[in-house]
Amino acid sequence: MSEVYQINENRLGCFTNGLNYTGFLNGSETQLNLEPVELHGGTLTPGDKIIGFYSGNSRTSFLLEYDYMVYRGRLTEELYFEIYDSKSNAKQGNLFEQRPEWYLTFHMAQSDCLLMFSQPSACWDIRPYKIVRYPKQAV
């Protein structure tokens, strides 16, 4: 079950399926910092298509099983990605006056450590030693 909560007047938060998403309202996603971000495994520039982050082991890696995500930018230590999923048949209903723009959210603790929160007080660390670009590269 997902629970949506208000971060501020223009942002919503949601934890679902063990992942953290941020919803932007009123066009506030245009306030994202579009400068490249340096991670241990390389540079991410807004618009980059990636499969995920590989560390050498499954516990500290984050890799999509299919399709890709696109880096859209950051606000302070949060990195935002749009997910492209060709296998999902889900239809999103709209509980809001204006439909939010939802982004998968990683928290950048350091250049070699991203955090994915699965609920407000629980997270796992992701070590981005290699950025796996789309189309899929060998890992």
Side-chain angles (χ1 to χ4, degrees):
M1 185 75 181
S2 304
E3 185 174 325
V4 176
Y5 60 94
Q6 191 90 30
I7 297 171
N8 63 33
E9 66 276 359
N10 291 317
R11 288 182 18 207
L12 303 169
C14 179
F15 298 98
T16 185
N17 298 319
L19 300 174
N20 180 205
Y21 292 88
T22 300
F24 289 90
L25 298 168
N26 307 316
S28 61
E29 68 276 4
T30 60
Q31 297 172 0
L32 293 177
N33 180 340
L34 301 179
E35 293 181 15
V37 64
E38 294 292 327
L39 298 175
H40 184 80
T43 303
L44 273 179
T45 302
D48 283 355
K49 295 177 182 178
I50 69 170
I51 303 292
F53 306 102
Y54 184 69
S55 69
N57 71 57
S58 60
R59 193 196 71 73
T60 57
S61 294
F62 181 90
L63 298 168
L64 296 176
E65 291 182 21
Y66 52 88
D67 293 331
Y68 59 93
M69 56 187 171
V70 177
Y71 176 59
R72 291 298 181 204
R74 69 187 282 186
L75 284 176
T76 60
E77 73 281 348
E78 294 178 341
L79 306 180
Y80 299 102
F81 293 84
E82 190 172 357
I83 299 285
Y84 286 84
D85 179 358
S86 64
K87 294 189 179 194
S88 176
N89 228 359
K91 296 193 188 303
Q92 180 178 345
N94 192 4
L95 302 174
F96 307 97
E97 237 177 79
Q98 177 195 22
R99 182 178 175 185
E101 293 294 325
W102 289 101
Y103 295 99
L104 182 64
T105 307
F106 292 88
H107 298 265
M108 189 168 134
Q110 298 174 341
S111 66
D112 68 343
C113 182
L114 301 177
L115 302 175
M116 172 54 70
F117 283 83
S118 56
Q119 55 186 323
S121 59
C123 66
W124 82 87
D125 59 313
I126 298 162
R127 302 295 175 166
Y129 297 151
K130 179 179 182 181
I131 299 171
V132 182
R133 308 279 175 179
Y134 179 86
K136 192 168 186 173
Q137 303 167 331
V139 288

